[in-house]
Amino acid sequence: MNNRSRKEKQMCTMIATSTVVNGVGKGAEGWFPITRATVAYDHSTHGNADHALLLDFANYDRGVDARLAIELDLASSKALLNDLQAAIEAAETVSAPRPAAG
Amino acid sequence: MWNNFRTDERLGVSAETITFPGGNDDAIHAYVAQPIAGGQVPGIVAVHHAPGWDEFYQEFSERLSRHGFTVICPDLYCRFGHGTPDDVAAKVRSQGGVHDDRVIADCQAASRWLRSLSTSNGKVGIIGTCSGGRHALLAASRVRDFDAVADLWGGGIIMSPDQLSPARPVAPIDFTSQLEAPLLGLFGNDDHAPSPEHVDIHEAELKKFGKNYEFHRYDGAGHGFFYYHAAAYRHEQAMDGWSKVFAFFDKYLKA
């Protein structure tokens, strides 16, 4: 996924960020292109917490419901962030250009 | 007061989704709840919260209506498309929310729609929770279409410069001098948005300009303590809060 544009957004808690991304996601009707990711901390729609980290992966060109939604507590979010960071660093290591021989 | 009706009264509300001319004369949806008993009654504009034009707000509107008000709850997200409330709210969230001016225009149009009813007594209040509380206060401060306003734990009344955005260019507290309607505020002391310190600052500003307001602050309650569908619900504080809402609107809209 690429950070082609990044905008700070504001909702009730005023904690929301939306980013144009390039990827795919699998929903109820199969795989579809993902064009926008939004990260927020706001009211939880489901779960026992009042608030949650809200992750939305969407393609609104395909309709309002073309969205993969995840709500996480903060501890899980931090663990996920660590795993994402570690995976990205490892990926960049293995995909880095090899130095020329000799 | 809740559960204080006479058992020989004609009771009930009718409620449905309508399409009405919102701000800019755009045709938008609204949920309308009206008492069936007839007579001249006040109106209330219910301003939904960030999670969307949802089932809670349908029931919120019906409860208010059951106490003698015609209630209209405009779908502030109507222009973003249609789906389940959480899907629509997510799309709005991804786009930075609805512009304050558009919300005010829709609320003003809703007030005028209420006053146009043959059953109107000529008075209209406005109420909202969470971002809806902020919007309700903002609307009542910027236009003269409301006779009373209730802000239930609206966050973002006070905003730091880095919190201002294209959709929210001015903090509502900056319009305090323009507020003419009496204000009811309900807040949980465990809330972070607004925090008790934010409520203190807001109250100081209201006092500075000699505004008519009453604030009630609840221990043991955080954000959204009316939300019986969520972990935030606090029944004792919520029922007392509802009694404050009914008394406030009775005083300023039915007298």
Side-chain angles (χ1 to χ4, degrees):
Chain A
M1 294 187 175
N2 301 320
N3 281 6
R4 292 202 292 260
S5 79
R6 187 178 182 87
K7 293 181 180 176
E8 296 299 320
K9 306 294 186 181
Q10 298 184 354
M11 294 299 287
C12 191
T13 59
M14 301 191 182
I15 301 171
T17 303
S18 192
T19 307
V20 173
V21 297
N22 179 24
V24 293
K26 190 173 183 181
E29 297 179 4
W31 290 92
F32 64 98
I34 296 292
T35 57
R36 179 163 291 279
T38 303
V39 181
Y41 180 72
D42 216 308
H43 292 284
S44 171
T45 304
H46 290 284
N48 294 324
D50 296 334
H51 288 72
L53 196 91
L54 313 179
L55 303 178
D56 293 312
F57 302 96
N59 184 339
Y60 291 120
D61 290 339
R62 292 186 166 223
V64 168
D65 59 352
R67 176 176 75 112
L68 309 178
I70 297 167
E71 302 189 356
L72 297 173
D73 63 30
L74 286 184
S76 304
S77 304
K78 289 177 183 175
L80 177 62
L81 178 62
N82 287 336
D83 286 352
L84 281 170
Q85 187 66 40
I88 290 168
E89 287 174 4
E92 288 178 334
T93 299
V94 299
S95 60
R98 292 183 180 180
Chain B
M1 184 180 293
W2 188 77
N3 201 30
N4 197 40
F5 60 90
R6 282 188 52 87
T7 54
D8 58 355
E9 283 182 85
R10 182 171 180 239
L11 300 169
V13 300
S14 66
E16 62 179 331
T17 297
I18 67 160
T19 300
F20 86 109
N24 196 40
D25 276 337
D26 297 340
I28 64 169
H29 293 142
Y31 193 73
V32 172
Q34 296 178 282
I36 62 169
Q40 306 301 116
V41 298
I44 293 176
V45 177
V47 191
H48 67 75
H49 50 182
W53 190 61
D54 60 6
E55 189 158 347
F56 175 81
Y57 260 84
Q58 293 175 0
E59 295 178 0
F60 187 79
S61 300
E62 288 161 8
R63 178 178 276 202
L64 285 166
S65 181
R66 203 165 284 117
H67 287 260
F69 304 93
T70 300
V71 182
I72 181 169
C73 179
D75 179 4
L76 304 174
Y77 296 171
C78 198
R79 298 173 185 85
F80 288 81
H82 296 290
T84 60
D86 61 301
D87 278 342
V88 177
K91 183 179 181 184
V92 174
R93 188 163 61 233
S94 78
Q95 297 185 11
V98 186
H99 197 289
D100 283 343
D101 288 349
R102 176 166 283 177
V103 173
I104 293 165
D106 284 346
C107 291
Q108 186 175 37
S111 174
R112 291 176 179 175
W113 183 87
L114 285 167
R115 286 185 210 277
S116 75
L117 298 176
S118 60
T119 54
S120 171
N121 77 344
K123 293 190 176 179
V124 174
I126 185 168
I127 185 172
T129 64
C130 183
S131 64
R134 177 185 178 277
H135 282 143
L137 177 64
L138 194 58
S141 301
R142 293 196 35 203
V143 297
R144 297 280 170 267
D145 292 71
F146 301 103
D147 300 292
V149 52
D151 165 19
L152 278 54
W153 56 88
I157 304 295
I158 296 146
M159 301 169 72
S160 59
D162 65 306
Q163 290 176 318
L164 300 175
S165 72
R168 301 179 176 198
V170 182
I173 195 169
D174 291 344
F175 295 106
T176 301
S177 65
Q178 300 177 37
L179 178 66
E180 292 190 354
L183 167 65
L184 170 71
L186 303 183
F187 308 100
N189 286 333
D190 296 334
D191 200 346
H192 297 286
S195 67
E197 292 74 24
H198 287 157
V199 179
D200 288 344
I201 293 169
H202 189 195
E203 184 163 19
E205 193 76 353
L206 291 161
K207 282 182 179 172
K208 177 179 146 186
F209 288 104
K211 298 303 176 183
N212 179 3
Y213 76 96
E214 58 175 87
F215 278 5
H216 302 278
R217 306 170 185 230
Y218 293 94
D219 287 331
H223 195 81
F225 59 92
F226 275 31
Y227 296 162
Y228 44 76
H229 58 296
Y233 186 57
R234 297 291 181 273
H235 79 273
E236 190 176 342
Q237 296 87 337
M239 291 311 295
D240 188 78
W242 271 111
S243 73
K244 298 292 192 297
V245 169
F246 294 139
F248 177 76
F249 282 138
D250 283 353
K251 178 179 180 181
Y252 290 106
L253 301 181
K254 291 183 178 176

